[in-house]
Amino acid sequence: MNDKNFIENYFDIFLKKALNSYIYKELIILKNMIIQTKKKNGKVILTGNGGSSAIASHISVDLNKAVGIKSMNFNEYDLITCLSNDFGYENWVAKALDYHLDKNDLTIIISSSGNSQNLINAAKLIRKRKNKLVTLTGFSKKNKLSKYSSLSLWVDSKAYNIVENTHQLWLTLVCDLIIGKIEYKSS
């Protein structure tokens, strides 16, 4: 396959995965969950591992700056290493949430596999606290993380870049949907 055909094939696969039959309804539900969080004076907390953590950071900035809703993510090395050292890597996200999760907060956990123990433990804490949880996953629809969520958005793919790019597209689209326009004013 030549480069041009590879690129065309890639975009065809990406668009089929990103625009599946149920996603419009789910994205509108997510938009409304974020708006309700803002109305209740809550914040949106986003987290993930690796590339998903980078997506969480990006969306947190967009929610704060463009959407005007309080948002945070856990990407500080000192926080991650401190909590991992003291409570174990599998517990660091739950412990960070234990410190920062308030009654009206919404948490969004992004995970390609949906099987990372640190994120599953965080989801268990969120459920125990009775907060809303949105999960964005891929790979297997029967992943462990999705069963804890109030809203589960799943990408039917086993390719990391397809899953992660789809997660990023969905989340940035929801930001644009909330503000009601495609382009932000530059500052």
Side-chain angles (χ1 to χ4, degrees), residues 95-137:
K95 197 62 182 174
L97 284 167
D98 189 38
Y99 293 140
H100 295 284
L101 185 65
D102 296 318
K103 179 182 176 183
N104 294 319
D105 292 348
L106 169 68
T107 304
I108 299 174
I109 297 179
I110 309 164
S111 173
S112 292
S113 73
N115 291 316
S116 300
Q117 195 59 52
N118 63 334
L119 301 177
I120 293 165
N121 290 344
K124 289 177 182 177
L125 174 87
I126 294 162
R127 178 178 272 181
K128 182 179 177 184
R129 294 264 192 99
K130 298 183 179 164
N131 285 75
K132 299 272 186 198
L133 170 62
V134 175
T135 58
L136 285 87
T137 60

Side-chain angles (χ1 to χ4, degrees), residues 42-79:
K43 66 185 169 295
V44 177
I45 301 173
L46 298 104
T47 192
N49 294 316
S52 297
S53 180
I55 294 167
S57 178
H58 175 172
I59 301 307
S60 181
V61 170
D62 283 1
L63 286 170
N64 280 305
K65 182 177 183 249
V67 179
I69 183 168
K70 292 181 281 187
S71 180
M72 65 183 299
N73 64 91
F74 305 129
N75 284 340
E76 302 85 7
Y77 295 117
D78 54 341
L79 175 75

